[in-house]
Amino acid sequence: MGQYDLLIKGGRVYTGGKLVDCDVAVQDGKIAALVRRGEPLESRQTMDATGLLVLPGAIDTHAHFREPGFTHKEDIETGTKAAAVGGVTLAVDMPNVRPTINSVERFIEHRELAATKAVVDFCHWAGPPQNLDEIKDLLDVGALGIKVFMWKDTKRDYPHMPELGITDLGHLFDIFSACAKYGAICGVHPHTQDLLHHIEKKYFWEKGLTDPQAYAKALRYGDSMNYDIAIATLIFLARADQVRFLV
């Protein structure tokens, strides 16, 4: 065996669904070998994990780092630092920032911004572009998939901004078709816009209730029928084109 970049020794390693007493050799940022505890290996760096658990890094595919546009809430640096503390080694952030990430140009700009600030590995979702054939190009430059928000906020314009809200089912069906064509995963924030707006207006806004608690109660009104109807609709739309989607 040659010299490895890193040897993590002395810990209990989670692999194959169980904890194993072994050492971990790392080369070029990847696990190169799991070896018997104490086996002599050459490495440029050694990390003593005696008495510790050695676990795979977690992947968070739904992160909101709020940058650019809303850094008073959080930014890429603080968000990825929090991820690192929690054992997340890959974070994927959402496109509902400002400007929204819904074109190849904006995606590349966002990726370059993250490269200057992130302390863990990162990837990004993209919003649906105006030209749906651009979905292929977004995948080519590294987008995890296309994120759709079936909701445009009322009495506010964040976090479900009008430029990302897809409330027309024909438009959503076209997005699904394009995602299926290019093999893209489509992540969907499910809502039933007209029903939700009716509930908000009748049971909350007309009573002067516009605080965050009112928004939350409106979303859950009627045993969360807003979500259930939207998810049922998504299932039927997805069956038509066999698109891979998640909510």
Side-chain angles (χ1 to χ4, degrees):
M1 297 181 183
Q3 187 181 58
Y4 292 103
D5 293 334
L6 172 66
L7 178 64
I8 305 172
K9 66 177 186 178
R12 302 195 70 200
V13 179
Y14 185 81
T15 180
K18 58 185 177 180
L19 290 169
V20 179
D21 292 332
C22 65
D23 295 339
V24 182
V26 178
Q27 186 67 33
D28 298 326
K30 297 181 180 180
I31 295 174
L34 299 179
V35 298
R36 286 176 298 180
R37 172 76 57 79
E39 182 171 329
L41 293 176
E42 292 186 10
S43 63
R44 296 179 179 84
Q45 181 182 0
T46 299
M47 181 180 296
D48 186 359
T50 301
L52 302 177
L53 300 179
V54 182
L55 307 176
I59 298 173
D60 186 348
T61 60
H62 191 137
H64 288 274
F65 294 143
R66 315 296 184 187
E67 185 175 2
F70 305 96
T71 52
H72 60 287
K73 294 175 175 286
E74 189 169 64
D75 59 32
I76 293 169
E77 181 180 359
T78 59
T80 56
K81 282 182 176 179
V85 170
V88 174
T89 56
L90 170 61
V92 188
D93 66 338
M94 291 292 170
N96 58 331
V97 291
R98 186 158 287 148
T100 56
I101 314 303
N102 59 356
S103 70
V104 170
E105 180 182 6
R106 288 182 178 176
F107 183 90
I108 292 173
E109 289 175 351
H110 194 61
R111 183 184 64 193
E112 292 175 348
L113 173 65
T116 69
K117 294 191 170 189
V119 301
V120 298
D121 292 335
F122 57 86
C123 189
H124 314 283
W125 288 89
Q130 289 188 345
N131 178 2
L132 294 181
D133 287 331
E134 197 176 353
I135 288 176
K136 178 181 183 302
D137 299 323
L138 284 164
L139 296 178
D140 289 343
V141 296
L144 174 66
I146 302 301
K147 181 60 185 272
V148 170
F149 297 84
M150 294 175 67
W151 184 17
K152 298 178 183 179
D153 278 324
T154 52
K155 293 189 178 292
R156 60 182 184 179
D157 63 357
Y158 180 83
H160 311 102
M161 307 101 114
E163 58 265 39
L164 279 179
I166 306 297
T167 59
D168 180 276
L169 292 184
H171 189 183
L172 179 58
F173 182 64
D174 286 345
I175 293 171
F176 269 17
S177 298
C179 286
K181 177 181 178 180
Y182 296 116
I185 298 172
C186 190
V188 185
H189 203 332
H191 290 284
T192 310
Q193 177 78 28
D194 53 350
L195 174 62
L196 179 59
H197 182 57
H198 176 77
I199 291 171
E200 288 175 331
K201 183 178 178 181
K202 182 175 182 179
Y203 298 102
F204 298 94
W205 303 168
E206 290 181 354
K207 298 178 181 179
L209 302 174
T210 59
D211 55 86
Q213 289 77 15
Y215 276 98
K217 290 177 181 178
L219 290 169
R220 299 193 305 269
Y221 192 88
D223 197 22
S224 299
M225 60 180 176
N226 156 61
Y227 292 115
D228 292 342
I229 293 171
I231 291 171
T233 300
L234 288 169
I235 291 171
F236 284 109
L237 291 178
R239 281 177 180 171
D241 279 315
Q242 297 299 302
V243 69
R244 296 181 298 162
F245 86 99
L246 53 87
V247 297

